[in-house]
Amino acid sequence: MKKIKTSVFIVVLTSAITVVNAQEKKKIDTADTKEIEGIVVTALGIKRDEKSLSYANQTVKAKDLNLTQNVDVKNSIVGKVAGVQLNGQAGSKLGETGKLRLRGAVSLLSDADPIYVLDGVIMDPNTIDMDIVESVNVLKGPNATSLYGVRAQYGVIVLTSKKGSKSKLSVELNSTTTVDVVARTMKYQNLYGQGYGGDDSFKTFVFKPDTMPAEWAIFDGKRYLGDDNNYADESWGPKIDGKDYIPWYAWWKDSPYFGKTAKYEAHPNNVRDFYDKAMTFKNSVSVAGGSDAVTARLSFTNLNQNGITPYTSLKRNYFNLNGNYKFSDKLNIDAVVNFSDGRVNGDFDDGYSNQTSGSFNQWFGRDLDTKKLKELQNLLTPAGYHANWNWWGPDDYSPTTFTAKPAFWINPYTWMKNYKNYTDRNTLLLSVAPSYKITNDLTARVSFSRTQNKSINRYFMPYSLSKNGSGTGSDPAGGYLTLLNGFGVQDSQYTEDQYEGRLSYQKKISDFDISLFGGGNITNRNWTGNSQLMDVTGTTQYLLTPDVYDFRNTNIPIIADPYAYKQQYKSLYASASVGFKDTYFVDGSVRNDINSAYLNSDNSFVSYSLGMSLLLHNLLTKNDILTYFKLRAGIAQIPADLSATFTNPEFRNGKQALSVGTNQYQTAWHPTRIISKNLKPAINENKEFGVDLKFFKNRLSLGATYYDEVRKDEPIPVTLPSSSGALDILINSASSARKGIELVLSGEVFRSESGFSWTTSVNWAKNKSTVLQVNDNLESIQYGDANAFGYISILQKEGLEWGQLYGTAIKRDASGNAVINSKGLYEYEPNQAFGSILPEFTGGFYNTFSYKGLSLSFTIDFQKGGKFFSLSERWGSSSGLLEETAAMNDRGHNVRDAVKDGGGVRVIGVDTAGKPVDRYVEAHDYFTQFHANRIAEPFIHSASYIKLREIALNYQLPKSIFTKTGISNISVGVTARNPWLIAVSKDNKHRFDPSELSQSFGEDGQLPSTRGFGVNVKINF
């Protein structure tokens, strides 16, 4: 990954200019005369001439957006827009897409998504079918987003939907079938199996008729895992030798393998074998057309997706209507309806110790046959419990105690089949906007829009599973697995209504082009919901009558936890753009938001931007090489939004009444946070400069942007002494900054008379975010939650880059040598910084090659730097699962061999007195030391990567084939999503995809990445 440097961009730039220049000189072709400056959709849906913009602008069109028929706007733009970083979920986690970062991060407390705007309405990006999107414009800094005011602090993604036209009626059928498979698993060892005691884990079975079931007499004298090695969920067991032994599934008389031995063998693909080849079917139909009076486009899409994890699925329907009705030359009305509903089904927990990936990556057996787990997922023991690999073994077995149940784990197939967890969700976007042309230059527009998102999650732990809990429901309860028969329901609804009126004025007066825009907006946001949840992995709350899912059927009453809160913005805004002689442009905007989230009277906040652009090519001699040369600069300010719940010091009702004698009183929690009376929002101030160049009659474009943004007076919670009666106070005290460079090169590099063409777009962005100040009395503040077991935290520390990973490191001397104690293990040093989670730079490379009816398109994206922590790697090494725990050492012996026999792990460093140390340590001691001392350092890696994100090969059939059939076009294509993780950092030896990490700090039991391969057929009438 050291080769990913800025020189890559320079080489591509130089090569592209050379190729295009050569073609121009040979006069193979000349570009058609066309308008160099285009029209783009900017903030609030305003259409602007690109030449007049004073800030960076990058638009991605429909043909480049949806190469693989994705429903995810975030994946669709990654690699195609400079300064965009995706922190995504693994593809196996259906219905979740992660978040985008634009220009790194700057808030000390939040790292949220930008807002997403479809046809002028703010909406949830997960509800959009990319088939309806005509273009996406990414607004990255305050200069571009100030017209959205306080809600735009993280940027804006502006989506414009496809519309009907006055041409004849057109119909499009689009069908895609995709199969998803596991892309990668961790790298496991396959030399040692389940157990704690190495070769001593095997014993010779001695039948004991007084304490054992009579049918077990058949096993007398045979080899088995003895003592506590049966319930060991680690792979520090015997060396795999291919000899006979009694497997876990042979002990039970209802098993088809009862009484039979099996070969003690490794199963290298046992984790991969668990996951399915998952099919996705996406089918859509759209109808578009119109007349002089009305234009419209109507579309419907059905998505039916199976997950790679057994018994998981996503089903969703999308409906979209976009229309315009022209009452007269002066009056017309736009209307948009976008609706989706669907269900995500299955358990997608990807945190520590979850029942699928959390087991496979952290606690499992390398000898386990997943095919047997699948075959025997319904196998019960004579005591009526689910048989499983993770049981207490024959030595401790008793059908009447917890030892008749699984110790730590349920068979993953049994769990996924029986534990029910599903979420129903429906969303609505509705917009109605009449406009009236008062004069040829002045237009009035009013609008109403509503977005509404409803979600209901339900989960059910059936008695058939919960009775297997060895840590609950047994007398005595002595096991580790806590499960209880119960369920939960959680519903939520978010509604946002916007009422808006605006005036726009456009006029050319002599050499001046004037564009004025102003209006007002009232936005009402409402959140409501309720949750009634039982802790089904706890120890106290359960259903009295098994599987009767009624909250009245509980041993402890369930207390409902409803909520309802709202927020209102009252806003006025205006913008102006003035151009002189089509060369000099000045534009500015201002917006005032009155934000109800601030409880004091000073809740009116102003955003503004001021910029200029200069078209230098109009001042130079016309030539065919440099056809466009724009300089731009601007300043801007945006106050940062705060949610109503963050600033509202509300009283919360207690869940149980207070009993005083014979009386009972309702209880309420006193607010634990004090809100400063002078609380203000943080202010983001930005300076931005750039240049846009176009060469060879618009064949090649180059854009460069530099920005310098400072966030001042961010409110943060500061801890108070207990005597205050509160935990903290929210005050304005923190500040941070980010600055960076963005480069974009695009164009038609090659075009020949034979019909072959090559268009490309390369982007590169470097950002550095720095914490300037936290508080006069604080040097750092924690960001987010610490990960499981407290290995890592993310701190915002004064003077350092944003998002520092902190944890315990290996202690080192002044020369960087590891300090080693008398046992050959590392000394350690807590509270050490390992670096920022943000990358040093990001970029992408998008290409399309076309020849007549054939086209090949692909996107490569990359990033350099950033850090992440892997809890899976940490536990996988401690439990003996991973390949490094059974590797060969430099003496030619396996590290698991005894040190005296040439084995062991070599450690080099110095002792506590500074003297050199070069010795070998027993493998188990070496790999288990890190948890005992919470040492995180070996499991922190660089997040650098290069990735082929998507590729599509399409063929448009000759139109002569379907002449006079009513068909205007047929195209057939093959696609691939995430087909190749080309390179990662050398220290990322298990090849985690850094663009698919489930947590801000990294991963902690993550579901695997997927790659998908599909076939697409599109027919136009």
Side-chain angles (χ1 to χ4, degrees):
M1 294 302 293
K2 292 182 180 179
K3 295 181 180 179
I4 306 180
K5 297 183 180 294
T6 56
S7 56
V8 172
F9 190 88
I10 303 302
V11 169
V12 174
L13 171 61
T14 305
S15 301
I17 292 177
T18 302
V19 171
V20 174
N21 195 25
Q23 289 188 77
E24 292 295 328
K25 290 180 179 179
K26 292 179 180 179
K27 299 187 181 296
I28 293 175
D29 189 20
T30 56
D32 294 332
T33 302
K34 57 178 132 178
E35 186 69 31
I36 291 176
E37 305 89 359
I39 302 296
V40 295
V41 180
T42 62
L44 299 181
I46 304 170
K47 294 182 179 180
R48 295 277 305 273
D49 287 327
E50 187 177 2
K51 62 187 177 184
S52 68
L53 298 180
S54 60
Y55 49 82
N57 170 75
Q58 199 172 349
T59 299
V60 185
K61 298 294 186 181
K63 65 181 179 62
D64 303 320
L65 276 172
N66 200 19
L67 294 184
T68 59
Q69 292 300 305
N70 209 327
V71 293
D72 175 17
V73 62
K74 301 175 186 180
N75 270 293
S76 297
I77 63 175
V78 172
K80 300 166 187 172
V81 178
V84 173
Q85 180 198 7
L86 177 63
N87 279 49
Q89 293 283 354
S92 49
K93 193 163 185 176
L94 303 182
E96 296 191 34
T97 58
K99 66 184 175 188
L100 287 179
R101 285 195 185 110
L102 305 183
R103 293 182 173 176
V106 69
S107 168
L108 269 63
L109 298 179
S110 179
D111 183 21
D113 253 322
I115 58 173
Y116 295 79
V117 181
L118 176 66
D119 294 331
V121 182
I122 299 174
M123 41 71 69
D124 182 345
N126 297 310
T127 67
I128 287 296
D129 173 20
M130 290 305 296
D131 271 342
I132 73 167
V133 177
E134 179 63 34
S135 66
V136 173
N137 191 10
V138 181
L139 308 179
K140 288 171 284 193
N143 302 71
T145 65
S146 61
L147 270 177
Y148 283 104
V150 295
R151 299 180 70 179
Q153 58 177 310
Y154 302 108
V156 182
I157 309 295
V158 179
L159 301 97
T160 303
S161 66
K162 297 175 182 177
K163 298 174 174 61
S165 65
K166 295 180 182 179
S167 60
K168 67 176 183 178
L169 183 70
S170 64
V171 178
E172 180 177 282
L173 304 177
N174 199 341
S175 180
T176 303
T177 300
T178 305
V179 59
D180 287 291
V181 297
V182 171
R184 286 166 303 281
T185 63
M186 298 186 75
K187 297 180 180 179
Y188 304 105
Q189 60 86 12
N190 293 293
L191 298 176
Y192 298 86
Q194 179 188 352
Y196 294 131
D199 289 340
D200 292 337
S201 302
F202 272 141
K203 308 290 183 185
T204 299
F205 182 68
V206 177
F207 176 64
K208 300 175 183 178
D210 294 338
T211 59
M212 295 179 177
E215 62 266 23
W216 286 1
I218 195 174
F219 297 118
D220 195 57
K222 296 180 181 179
R223 189 169 71 153
Y224 78 115
L225 287 172
D227 300 327
D228 58 0
N229 292 286
N230 277 279
Y231 73 78
D233 53 357
E234 303 182 19
S235 282
W236 292 105
K239 190 170 186 178
I240 291 172
D241 57 13
K243 297 179 182 179
D244 288 340
Y245 83 114
I246 309 170
W248 65 270
Y249 48 82
W251 294 93
W252 312 114
K253 61 183 181 180
D254 289 337
S255 168
Y257 304 98
F258 170 70
K260 300 177 183 178
T261 58
K263 301 297 183 184
Y264 190 58
E265 298 173 332
H267 290 273
N269 295 318
N270 60 358
V271 172
R272 187 179 290 270
D273 288 343
F274 171 76
Y275 296 102
D276 293 334
K277 292 181 174 63
M279 301 299 297
T280 299
F281 303 95
K282 182 186 176 189
N283 296 285
S284 63
V285 58
S286 65
V287 181
S291 63
D292 290 338
V294 61
T295 58
R297 185 180 187 275
L298 176 67
S299 70
F300 173 79
T301 297
N302 172 258
L303 178 69
N304 192 340
Q305 182 175 7
N306 292 322
I308 64 166
T309 305
Y311 304 106
T312 62
S313 63
L314 165 62
K315 300 181 187 299
R316 187 172 288 166
N317 295 312
Y318 301 86
F319 173 85
N320 179 262
L321 171 64
N322 191 312
N324 174 270
Y325 186 80
K326 187 176 181 181
F327 292 92
S328 67
D329 290 340
K330 290 182 176 294
L331 177 64
N332 70 87
I333 185 170
D334 292 309
V336 178
V337 178
N338 194 76
F339 176 80
S340 73
D341 79 322
R343 170 175 287 189
V344 177
N345 184 65
D347 179 17
F348 294 99
D349 180 14
D350 60 355
Y352 167 75
S353 201
N354 67 78
Q355 289 283 338
T356 56
S357 57
S359 170
F360 305 147
N361 293 343
Q362 300 170 357
W363 308 102
F364 204 52
R366 297 304 307 138
D367 57 299
L368 294 174
D369 185 349
T370 307
K371 295 176 182 177
K372 287 292 192 298
L373 289 170
K374 183 176 184 180
E375 178 187 357
L376 303 174
Q377 59 186 290
N378 298 318
L379 177 63
L380 298 178
T381 70
Y385 304 115
H386 284 291
N388 193 24
W389 65 273
N390 184 230
W391 71 300
W392 296 88
D395 300 314
D396 295 322
Y397 178 76
S398 171
T400 60
T401 69
F402 66 86
T403 61
K405 304 178 181 183
F408 298 100
W409 304 96
I410 300 290
N411 181 326
Y413 287 99
T414 306
W415 177 270
M416 295 303 297
K417 180 180 180 180
N418 292 279
Y419 176 66
K420 304 299 182 184
N421 190 331
Y422 60 86
T423 300
D424 292 319
R425 188 180 190 193
N426 67 69
T427 65
L428 172 68
L429 181 154
L430 172 67
S431 174
V432 180
S435 60
Y436 185 79
K437 202 168 187 178
I438 301 172
T439 69
N440 288 336
D441 309 315
L442 181 64
T443 301
R445 180 181 184 270
V446 295
S447 65
F448 166 77
S449 67
R450 163 168 285 195
T451 55
Q452 180 174 284
N453 301 328
K454 292 183 178 179
S455 177
I456 300 178
N457 172 256
R458 297 178 174 89
Y459 61 86
F460 303 87
M461 176 70 76
Y463 179 71
S464 63
L465 273 185
S466 67
K467 69 179 182 179
N468 293 277
S470 56
T472 51
S474 301
D475 188 15
Y480 303 99
L481 183 63
T482 58
L483 301 174
L484 288 173
N485 183 206
F487 73 114
V489 179
Q490 186 169 12
D491 68 85
S492 62
Q493 177 171 313
Y494 169 72
T495 303
E496 177 174 322
D497 292 333
Q498 291 202 33
Y499 306 86
E500 188 168 81
R502 63 173 70 165
L503 290 172
S504 58
Y505 177 81
Q506 287 185 309
K507 182 76 171 179
K508 184 173 180 63
I509 303 175
S510 184
D511 291 332
F512 291 91
D513 290 289
I514 300 173
S515 178
L516 305 176
F517 182 92
N521 175 286
I522 295 176
T523 300
N524 295 321
R525 308 174 73 191
N526 288 275
W527 295 263
T528 59
N530 185 34
S531 61
Q532 292 177 270
L533 309 176
M534 299 180 69
D535 184 3
V536 295
T537 59
T539 59
T540 58
Q541 199 170 51
Y542 55 87
L543 296 175
L544 296 172
T545 303
D547 294 342
V548 176
Y549 297 108
D550 189 316
F551 288 119
R552 292 167 294 187
N553 179 37
T554 59
N555 66 321
I556 298 174
I558 304 298
I559 305 298
D561 188 12
Y563 66 86
Y565 56 97
K566 60 185 178 180
Q567 184 176 19
Q568 184 182 72
Y569 304 97
K570 296 178 180 178
S571 309
L572 293 174
Y573 54 81
S575 72
S577 175
V578 178
F580 178 65
K581 291 188 175 181
D582 203 36
T583 301
Y584 308 93
F585 295 89
V586 177
D587 67 82
S589 68
V590 63
R591 178 173 178 131
N592 176 240
D593 291 306
I594 298 176
N595 185 351
S596 69
Y598 290 81
L599 301 183
N600 52 47
S601 59
D602 186 14
N603 62 351
S604 177
F605 311 117
V606 175
S607 309
Y608 69 82
S609 69
L610 180 64
M612 58 77 62
S613 58
L614 171 63
L615 302 186
L616 280 176
H617 61 271
N618 288 335
L619 304 177
L620 303 174
T621 302
K622 301 295 181 182
N623 63 85
D624 290 337
I625 298 177
L626 180 61
T627 50
Y628 184 80
F629 186 178
K630 181 173 83 169
L631 295 176
R632 49 185 166 79
I635 58 173
Q637 170 184 292
I638 289 184
D641 196 17
L642 281 179
S643 69
T645 56
F646 196 68
T647 60
N648 186 2
E650 63 181 323
F651 289 83
R652 294 186 178 273
N653 289 332
K655 292 190 175 182
Q656 296 198 11
L658 173 66
S659 297
V660 180
T662 59
N663 297 322
Q664 289 187 320
Y665 301 93
Q666 182 182 5
T667 60
W669 294 104
H670 188 276
T672 58
R673 170 168 294 162
I674 297 175
I675 308 298
S676 170
K677 294 181 180 180
N678 299 316
L679 185 70
K680 302 177 296 181
I683 300 295
N684 289 39
E685 297 177 347
N686 188 56
K687 298 185 288 289
E688 185 172 308
F689 308 93
V691 59
D692 297 311
L693 305 172
K694 298 185 181 183
F695 304 91
F696 312 116
K697 299 180 180 178
N698 206 25
R699 289 281 296 279
L700 187 67
S701 301
L702 174 64
T705 302
Y706 170 80
Y707 59 89
D708 187 346
E709 183 175 350
V710 177
R711 184 179 178 94
K712 298 179 179 179
D713 294 328
E714 180 169 12
I716 63 169
V718 177
T719 303
L720 292 172
S722 58
S723 58
S724 68
L727 295 178
D728 56 41
I729 182 172
L730 197 64
I731 59 176
N732 295 95
S733 66
S735 61
S736 56
R738 61 180 170 185
K739 58 181 63 176
I741 299 172
E742 297 168 348
L743 301 176
V744 181
L745 170 68
S746 62
E748 191 172 22
V749 178
F750 191 90
R751 183 170 61 192
S752 70
E753 292 177 340
S754 66
F756 176 77
S757 67
W758 170 28
T759 59
T760 189
S761 175
V762 187
N763 68 80
W764 180 89
K766 181 178 176 63
N767 173 82
K768 185 174 183 180
S769 299
T770 306
V771 177
L772 301 179
Q773 178 179 326
V774 178
N775 181 266
D776 290 341
N777 300 312
L778 292 174
E779 290 187 354
S780 64
I781 187 172
Q782 182 166 308
Y783 168 80
D785 296 324
N787 77 300
F789 301 98
Y791 278 100
I792 281 295
S793 59
I794 299 177
L795 296 183
Q796 310 290 16
K797 191 162 186 177
E798 186 173 311
L800 298 182
E801 285 191 65
W802 188 98
Q804 292 287 318
L805 276 181
Y806 265 77
T808 298
I810 296 170
K811 189 173 184 179
R812 301 181 185 276
D813 66 8
S815 300
N817 298 305
V819 178
I820 299 168
N821 65 22
S822 59
K823 296 180 180 179
L825 305 179
Y826 294 123
E827 293 287 330
Y828 55 92
E829 198 162 8
N831 200 32
Q832 297 299 300
F834 298 113
S836 170
I837 64 175
L838 296 182
E840 180 184 341
F841 64 77
T842 61
F845 187 31
Y846 175 68
N847 293 270
T848 296
F849 299 91
S850 301
Y851 180 70
K852 296 184 178 179
L854 190 66
S855 67
L856 174 67
S857 301
F858 64 88
T859 305
I860 293 174
D861 62 288
F862 56 85
Q863 73 179 35
K864 174 68 165 60
K867 298 291 184 180
F868 75 93
F869 170 75
S870 170
L871 188 66
S872 290
E873 189 179 341
R874 162 62 213 101
W875 282 117
S877 62
S878 179
S879 63
L881 291 175
L882 303 183
E883 66 175 7
E884 53 264 36
T885 68
M888 302 298 288
N889 64 20
D890 61 334
R891 298 194 287 187
H893 289 265
N894 194 287
V895 295
R896 295 208 186 184
D897 293 341
V899 171
K900 63 183 177 59
D901 297 326
V905 179
R906 186 181 185 186
V907 291
I908 300 174
V910 297
D911 63 16
T912 54
K915 296 179 181 180
V917 173
D918 187 348
R919 59 175 293 185
Y920 292 83
V921 178
E922 303 293 346
H924 185 271
D925 294 338
Y926 178 85
F927 288 106
T928 57
Q929 68 174 309
F930 302 107
H931 176 60
N933 299 317
R934 293 297 193 276
I935 299 176
E937 180 181 339
F939 315 106
I940 291 175
H941 308 298
S942 168
S944 300
Y945 74 89
I946 306 173
K947 176 177 182 177
L948 177 59
R949 183 169 292 274
E950 57 184 358
I951 184 169
L953 178 64
N954 288 289
Y955 179 65
Q956 185 170 308
L957 277 63
K959 293 186 177 181
S960 59
I961 295 176
F962 36 84
T963 303
K964 297 182 181 180
T965 64
I967 298 174
S968 60
N969 180 59
I970 297 179
S971 64
V972 180
V974 291
T975 65
R977 255 180 239 151
N978 300 322
W980 186 17
L981 185 59
I982 300 170
V984 294
S985 178
K986 186 177 180 180
D987 66 326
N988 182 8
K989 53 183 175 291
H990 291 283
R991 293 183 64 81
F992 289 102
D993 184 343
S995 70
E996 293 187 352
L997 297 174
S998 59
Q999 306 292 338
S1000 295
F1001 60 77
E1003 69 82 42
D1004 59 353
Q1006 184 157 328
L1007 293 165
S1009 297
T1010 60
R1011 54 171 61 103
F1013 304 92
V1015 177
N1016 173 252
V1017 178
K1018 187 182 295 184
I1019 304 175
N1020 295 92
F1021 297 90

